[in-house]
Amino acid sequence: LAAGSPPMGRFNGVLDPLTEEELEVTDLRELILGVLKENQRAKLEQEWDAAVRNNRPLSLIMVDIDHFKKVNDVHGHDIGDVVLKETANVLKRSSRQGEEPARLGGEEFLVICPNSTLAQAQACAERLRASIEGNTIRGGTFDGHVTASLGVCERTGAMTSLDALIKGADEAVYAAKSGGRNRVCTSGGAASAP
């Protein structure tokens, strides 16, 4: 992008028109949440390359907090930040060794699952979904629970790039949202609901 151009939108090439002030607030929120967003792509690429090179499984889970806009609209962005931080903490606490959660942006997170088949990653995603739903969040005017929709995708031999894996997880999240939220869907359509 040219100097002064707005950043690219997620996966679709659409420009997100953020002001300089909004960019500073976004950077501050990333810092508050303690998630190293800038390194996640490099880590994903490293895991992708290792999986291709060693012909081993690699799965990706995308996590999207349900009705997050409503939290921000009703309780404000400060409470929204509390919800994001609490959700990030749940993901960290509930992830097993080797499973690596990272913030994607907005209300979305990724969990990288090296050496995990689709079935193993789906079990992980269900564990994470239940942990998010069972976590009580208290802050300001918010005292309750949030839920999340999760999409799972495993690298296949037909995938030629990391972007195909991300797209598969993104499409599975969309299916989870369309299917009623607070559920796990896999690329290819399998779903589990609470």
Side-chain angles (χ1 to χ4, degrees):
L1 293 174
S5 296
M8 296 293 287
R10 189 175 66 82
F11 307 131
N12 61 8
V14 175
L15 294 179
D16 291 326
L18 297 177
T19 66
E20 194 66 36
E21 181 179 288
E22 287 172 320
L23 287 172
E24 287 174 17
V25 169
T26 299
D27 291 343
L28 176 61
R29 286 192 176 124
E30 297 299 329
L31 183 62
I32 290 169
L33 292 168
V35 182
L36 299 176
K37 191 173 160 184
E38 63 192 50
N39 291 331
Q40 74 189 26
R41 180 73 185 196
K43 178 62 178 168
L44 266 170
E45 288 173 353
Q46 179 184 22
E47 291 296 344
W48 173 270
D49 291 343
V52 170
R53 184 174 52 254
N54 299 314
N55 195 29
R56 64 182 171 117
L58 171 66
S59 293
L60 185 65
I61 302 169
M62 191 173 289
V63 181
D64 190 314
I65 300 171
D66 296 328
H67 305 293
F68 184 72
K69 182 179 182 323
K70 183 176 178 184
V71 171
N72 276 336
D73 291 347
V74 172
H75 302 281
H77 290 280
D78 289 344
I79 300 305
D81 288 346
V82 170
V83 168
L84 289 172
K85 186 171 184 176
E86 284 295 314
T87 303
N89 287 337
V90 167
L91 291 172
K92 289 175 191 175
R93 283 193 315 265
S94 301
S95 294
R96 295 183 177 161
Q97 185 174 1
E99 300 166 349
E100 299 185 38
R103 176 98 183 278
L104 180 60
E107 69 273 17
E108 293 181 314
F109 298 85
L110 294 176
V111 181
I112 306 166
C113 301
N115 298 310
S116 293
T117 64
L118 185 65
Q120 292 167 325
Q122 184 176 11
C124 170
E126 180 53 37
R127 183 180 71 249
L128 296 174
R129 187 208 59 75
S131 295
I132 292 167
E133 181 181 31
N135 185 52
T136 301
I137 301 172
R138 291 183 177 91
T141 59
F142 189 90
D143 185 1
H145 303 265
V146 295
T147 61
S149 299
L150 293 86
V152 184
C153 187
E154 180 183 10
R155 182 188 73 82
T156 67
M159 290 180 180
T160 58
S161 71
L162 173 59
D163 288 336
L165 181 66
I166 294 169
K167 182 178 180 193
D170 191 46
E171 289 172 351
V173 164
Y174 181 78
K177 293 275 189 196
S178 297
R181 295 183 168 81
N182 191 27
R183 65 188 62 232
V184 173
C185 285
T186 61
S187 59
S192 65

